[in-house]
Amino acid sequence: MISGLLSTQWDTTNGQQCQQTFEQLQQRLPALFARRGGAATTAVVVPSLSLDGAELRKIKGVIHFEERLLFLAQVLRDPDARLLYVTSLPLRPVVVDNALGAVSSLPAGHALRRLTLLDCADGSPVPLTEKVLKDDALVQRILSAIPDRDQAYLVTFNSTPLERALAVRLGIPLYACDPALAQIGTKSGGRQLLRSAGVPVPEGFEDIRDEQALVKALAELRGGNPGCERAVVKLDDSFAGCGNAVFPFAGAPAANLESWIRAQLPRRLSFAAQADTWQSYGARLREMGGIVERFVDAPGTRSPSVQLEIEPVRGARVVSTHEQVLGGSAGQVFTGCVFPAGPGYRAEIQRLALLAGRALAAKGVLGHLSIDFLVEDPTRTVPSDGPAPAEGIHALEINLRMGGATAPFFLMHGAVEGAYAQDTGEYLTPEGEPRCYVATDRAQRDGFERLQPEDVVDVALRNGLHYRQTTRTGAVFYVLGALPGNGKLGVVAVERTVERAQSLYDTLLARVEAAGRRRA
């Protein structure tokens, strides 16, 4: 599914050799993480979106998502640490300045001496890791920039055979999930692991591979639950909701249900991605498989997520919780997030996520991941020490990679310099005050495409909306390279309450939109 020969060459010709070498390299991680912060470690960041090419093409300006991992500039707070950041195209100076400026208590001059930026000079729609592996000269430049490979590790957005091959090529371990475990991160594999860990999932079916299986699953779902009004179909390897489609059962007969679904499927299935058709979606389903689930759209239904990190030493821990902001025609596409998740169910989704996290850790999963949930009754308060999962709370999927909510949390953390309180799920400043935020990496308004990153920074500064260390509130920007031409802006609006964060977010976007209109 990933383009090019490189995605499969190690698996078909040197797979066993590569896997053995990879596993040997991974054994360095516990010692590296045990002394991280006290040794001159080098983080090599290759923020490749090594995901399905057809799914990536649905996202405008997707190449600029490589900027999201610039929150890792925070590793430079350790005066002995080095950061090597590789991209497809050169990063604009204003993007780099913004990333360093977003980390409080980090002298920019000192950080720049320990920051190495490299690029492929290649903007083609191919995963960045594949570009790096094809460029021997660039690989040598990366190796030359690592002072000690025994003290270095590779960080990526997600992990595929490409990232495994790059880790082996560089001779450094990969801080991400072993690609051999990738099946767990599919929609089908995730449902299976969640169930085995005792985490409830919605009614549904996995491993759907063709139209016949899809029709049968839809019929069984409706037959077993006549009150089910809609079903959601999800492609196994899709992300951000772009591989979702909704099928309504309105008017479905009690008899001959499969025949009715088969006839209605091509014209009733509503796709989250506008570019999809039944023909293209059906082909993707046959290629990667998928699932069918009951679609819950009761009034007040929420879609929170829990971000986890599984470290080699500390194991699984909760990093944050969020409310996902979903858009698109069927409300299935991730467009942003709000921190933290609702107080009535925050503790319960943390508990359920840790059950899954420990099960994942037992299977050898490492790195950043997230678990999406569905809460049908958000007004209900759930005791954190309850013996059984709460009714109305279901886990939807496991994302074995960094997600859309990863960068916003760490950007806020870099700016505020506080800590996440595991007991309450709040983020507290050094003074003990809570901080919340509203964030997105794809804000789009009329006229945004006419602006430069410097224009947005200027608007925030002139209107007093920029982040201020004195109050530990304000707007932090990211993915600024996607603004000119693509009209996408990344922003984390940090405030004392969610309501104030939303107000800051709305005010900022309105001011930026006005600037874009004036530019026209």
Side-chain angles (χ1 to χ4, degrees):
M1 290 179 291
I2 299 169
S3 63
L5 176 63
L6 285 166
S7 62
T8 56
Q9 67 176 8
W10 283 97
D11 290 335
T12 57
T13 60
N14 300 304
Q16 185 175 1
Q17 173 191 346
C18 181
Q19 184 64 28
Q20 290 175 349
T21 305
F22 178 77
E23 290 173 359
Q24 292 170 358
L25 289 170
Q26 295 302 89
Q27 294 174 12
R28 296 183 194 169
L29 283 173
L32 268 174
F33 274 72
R35 61 177 179 266
R36 192 171 58 171
T41 56
T42 300
V44 181
V45 182
V46 181
S48 176
L49 274 72
S50 300
L51 300 164
D52 181 74
E55 296 298 301
L56 285 176
R57 283 190 288 273
K58 297 174 183 177
I59 303 175
K60 184 179 180 182
V62 69
I63 194 170
H64 296 288
F65 276 12
E66 293 176 4
E67 299 174 19
R68 290 197 293 188
L69 270 61
L70 281 169
F71 72 81
L72 289 167
Q74 292 171 51
V75 304
L76 297 174
R77 276 200 175 121
D78 179 347
D80 294 318
R82 299 182 64 86
L83 178 66
L84 199 162
Y85 203 93
V86 185
T87 52
S88 293
L89 297 171
L91 293 173
R92 298 178 58 162
V94 66
V95 171
V96 179
D97 291 344
N98 178 76
L100 294 177
V103 185
S104 298
S105 306
L106 178 64
H110 197 284
L112 280 170
R113 291 197 298 272
R114 295 175 287 119
L115 172 64
T116 302
L117 301 174
L118 298 174
D119 68 88
C120 303
D122 181 357
S124 63
V126 173
L128 170 60
T129 307
E130 183 171 339
K131 299 174 190 176
V132 174
L133 284 166
K134 287 180 177 179
D135 191 336
D136 291 338
L138 179 57
V139 171
Q140 289 304 312
R141 290 168 64 199
I142 294 173
L143 290 171
S144 299
I146 302 174
D148 182 356
R149 278 192 276 177
D150 287 338
Q151 299 296 324
Y153 58 96
L154 177 63
V155 182
T156 59
F157 174 77
N158 66 322
S159 180
T160 72
L162 291 171
E163 284 67 39
R164 179 173 57 200
L166 181 58
V168 171
R169 183 86 175 271
L170 296 176
I172 61 177
L174 171 65
Y175 184 51
C177 181
D178 185 341
L181 302 174
Q183 171 60 24
I184 302 173
T186 66
K187 304 296 187 291
S188 293
R191 280 176 57 92
Q192 292 159 1
L193 181 130
L194 289 163
R195 272 201 306 267
S196 69
V199 180
V201 297
E203 303 163 75
F205 303 89
E206 303 97 44
D207 298 318
I208 308 299
R209 287 285 171 184
D210 53 34
E211 181 181 349
Q212 180 178 351
L214 177 57
V215 169
K216 181 177 175 60
L218 288 169
E220 288 190 24
L221 183 64
R222 171 72 172 192
N225 185 358
C228 178
E229 297 181 358
R230 293 195 286 176
V232 59
V233 185
K234 301 177 182 178
L235 297 177
D236 260 343
D237 287 327
S238 59
F239 62 99
C242 290
N244 293 5
V246 175
F247 183 82
F249 288 109
N256 300 317
L257 184 56
E258 284 194 27
S259 298
W260 181 85
I261 291 174
R262 186 174 293 105
Q264 295 291 324
L265 195 59
R267 52 179 169 268
R268 282 198 174 219
L269 200 61
S270 173
F271 307 102
Q274 294 181 353
D276 274 332
T277 64
W278 167 240
Q279 288 73 23
S280 64
Y281 193 86
R284 306 298 293 151
L285 183 66
R286 290 188 293 274
E287 180 182 349
M288 67 172 64
I291 65 171
V292 168
E293 289 178 338
R294 178 173 66 95
F295 184 87
V296 178
D297 57 353
T301 297
R302 300 289 183 86
S303 299
S305 68
V306 178
Q307 286 63 50
L308 299 171
E309 184 175 12
I310 303 177
E311 289 192 357
V313 178
R314 292 194 289 178
R317 66 183 180 94
V318 173
V319 173
S320 62
T321 67
H322 290 85
E323 297 290 346
Q324 297 185 92
V325 180
L326 303 177
S329 58
Q332 294 285 295
V333 179
F334 177 88
T335 61
C337 59
V338 177
F339 172 89
Y345 46 84
R346 190 186 306 155
E348 179 66 2
I349 62 174
Q350 284 195 156
R351 185 185 73 83
L352 294 173
L354 273 176
L355 285 177
R358 290 168 184 144
L360 290 165
K363 290 184 175 293
V365 172
L366 283 176
H368 291 275
L369 62 131
S370 64
I371 300 177
D372 296 341
F373 287 86
L374 184 74
V375 179
E376 296 184 52
D377 183 7
T379 62
R380 179 181 178 184
T381 300
V382 181
S384 60
D385 58 350
E391 182 180 354
I393 297 180
H394 297 88
L396 296 180
E397 62 188 56
I398 299 172
N399 301 298
L400 292 184
R401 53 175 170 77
M402 297 186 189
T406 306
F409 176 81
F410 284 103
L411 285 166
M412 185 265 291
H413 176 63
V416 177
E417 300 183 289
Y420 184 73
Q422 295 283 337
D423 55 341
T424 64
E426 295 178 301
Y427 188 88
L428 303 178
T429 68
E431 296 77 29
E433 298 177 351
R435 286 296 181 269
C436 307
Y437 61 80
V438 175
T440 184
D441 55 19
R442 62 201 76 184
Q444 293 179 276
R445 297 282 182 88
D446 183 42
F448 274 20
E449 71 282 355
R450 306 184 190 102
L451 298 172
Q452 297 295 320
E454 296 86 347
D455 297 325
V456 172
V457 175
D458 184 73
V459 167
L461 190 61
R462 290 182 182 279
N463 289 274
L465 304 173
H466 63 293
Y467 184 81
R468 297 172 299 281
Q469 187 62 21
T470 54
T471 61
R472 302 191 193 274
T473 61
V476 179
F477 298 109
Y478 67 121
V479 199
L480 284 172
L483 188 63
N486 297 294
K488 288 186 173 182
L489 174 64
V491 61
V492 184
V494 182
E495 259 293 356
R496 292 174 175 83
T497 66
V498 169
E499 293 75 18
R500 293 178 67 163
Q502 187 66 60
S503 177
L504 170 63
Y505 177 90
D506 293 339
T507 301
L508 174 68
L509 293 192
R511 297 287 193 276
V512 175
E513 183 178 12
R517 288 176 175 171
R518 287 195 299 272
R519 182 62 56 86

